[in-house]
Amino acid sequence: MIRIAVANQKGGVGKTTTAINLATALAATGWRVLLIDLDPQGNASTGLGVAHSQREYSSYELLTGQCTMEQAVVSTRVPRLDLVSATVDLSGAEIELVEFEDRTHRLDKVVADNGRWDVCLIDCPPSLGLLTINALVASRSVLVPLQAEFFALEGLSQLLQTVERIRVRFNPELSILGVALTMFDRRNNLSSQVADDVRACLGKVVFQTVIPRNVRLSEAPSHGVPALIYDHRCSGSEAYMSLARELIGRLPKPAAAA
């Protein structure tokens, strides 16, 4: 199973929107997809229309060993897309996990060698705490949604340093899969300047597709469906479909999608 952490310690950069819509796009192409919501806010769960009544178990119980992966997984409205939801209980996991000797490898142990899905996307919280560390240890690559604004560059530097530390100490297979520019405003010269700076620094690591600011992307979560289902013709959905094609080009193709 291909394991990808969708991470950025800065909030409000379109991280969850990216995780939801890329997972939907991959499922639409025939991939069996698992999305793990590791953010205590549970936005990915809400954005996929998974009600609280469906959440007998969540990523909190999964990390603390109170349930198995099979118990934690729920189906979504999107065919071939399953979810491990998150609840507010996860906010206490940062403290509770300290008591475990394998505190940095809890998630890795439950997702390793699982052949039920072709790809697993992990929606990380907007911080570089123990939850994000678990996601990075469990993953083989990192996808970074990056808002096209000046302060985002500083946050990107911190994240890249963290990824390197995780790679050296815990997970030598970890690498940056790509950086996706989000909330791009073509009317704003700063967006273009940030994009140019990021591409000059990271080169081909940055995806060619940029995700524009789009009202429909913001509206979709309130309806409990990904933007690709809410309005597949809007500019945001079209951009995520293009980004998914780029992403697939960087991944090994699973037999199920062949």
Side-chain angles (χ1 to χ4, degrees):
M1 182 172 65
I2 301 167
R3 292 174 264 168
I4 305 169
V6 183
N8 191 325
Q9 79 276 17
K10 190 176 185 299
V13 300
K15 176 176 52 61
T16 297
T17 300
T18 298
I20 289 174
N21 286 288
L22 284 180
T24 301
L26 290 172
T29 62
W31 295 50
R32 298 168 301 171
V33 184
L34 173 65
L35 176 59
I36 299 179
D37 190 350
L38 214 59
D39 187 343
Q41 298 177 82
N43 290 337
S45 306
T46 304
L48 285 172
V50 177
H52 286 279
S53 59
Q54 294 177 255
R55 309 179 192 180
E56 182 177 358
Y57 297 107
S58 67
S59 52
Y60 168 75
E61 285 82 13
L62 190 63
L63 285 173
T64 54
Q66 299 177 51
C67 73
T68 64
M69 176 67 80
E70 286 67 28
Q71 291 175 313
V73 169
V74 295
S75 58
T76 70
R77 303 181 192 182
V78 181
R80 292 180 296 276
L81 173 55
D82 294 325
L83 171 75
V84 175
S85 66
T87 63
V88 70
D89 292 339
L90 194 59
S91 59
E94 295 272 4
I95 298 174
E96 295 179 40
L97 287 176
V98 173
E99 301 177 1
F100 294 92
E101 289 186 9
D102 59 346
R103 63 184 70 90
T104 59
H105 289 71
R106 301 292 294 180
L107 187 60
D108 183 46
K109 290 184 176 181
V110 294
V111 301
D113 301 322
N114 196 315
R116 179 175 170 183
W117 301 277
D118 300 310
V119 60
C120 172
L121 297 177
I122 307 172
D123 185 28
C124 298
S127 67
L128 294 177
L130 204 47
L131 291 175
T132 298
I133 290 174
N134 261 271
L136 295 177
V137 171
S139 300
R140 293 300 172 262
S141 55
V142 186
L143 191 153
V144 185
L146 183 71
Q147 187 176 358
E149 66 169 27
F150 176 75
F151 289 118
L153 296 175
E154 182 178 347
L156 176 62
S157 175
Q158 295 173 359
L159 178 61
L160 294 179
Q161 291 175 16
T162 299
V163 169
E164 180 60 21
R165 293 192 190 102
I166 296 296
R167 191 186 67 79
V168 171
R169 293 189 59 187
F170 303 118
N171 185 2
E173 297 182 36
L174 187 65
S175 63
I176 300 294
L177 177 61
V179 174
L181 291 166
T182 61
M183 301 182 180
F184 191 89
D185 188 349
R186 298 188 185 280
R187 301 168 299 178
N188 188 338
N189 290 334
L190 180 60
S191 289
S192 297
Q193 182 180 341
V194 170
D196 291 341
D197 290 345
V198 174
R199 294 187 193 282
C201 179
L202 299 177
K204 293 182 178 180
V205 172
V206 184
F207 290 102
Q208 288 298 313
T209 302
V210 297
I211 308 301
R213 285 190 178 276
N214 182 242
V215 173
R216 305 298 270 178
L217 290 179
S218 302
E219 292 176 348
S222 65
H223 295 270
V225 292
L228 291 180
I229 294 177
Y230 179 63
D231 184 354
H232 69 277
R233 295 182 178 178
C234 72
S235 61
S237 292
E238 290 178 347
Y240 272 118
M241 286 187 280
S242 176
L243 180 62
R245 286 191 289 269
E246 277 196 75
L247 177 66
I248 290 172
R250 300 187 183 191
L251 298 175
K253 193 172 185 179

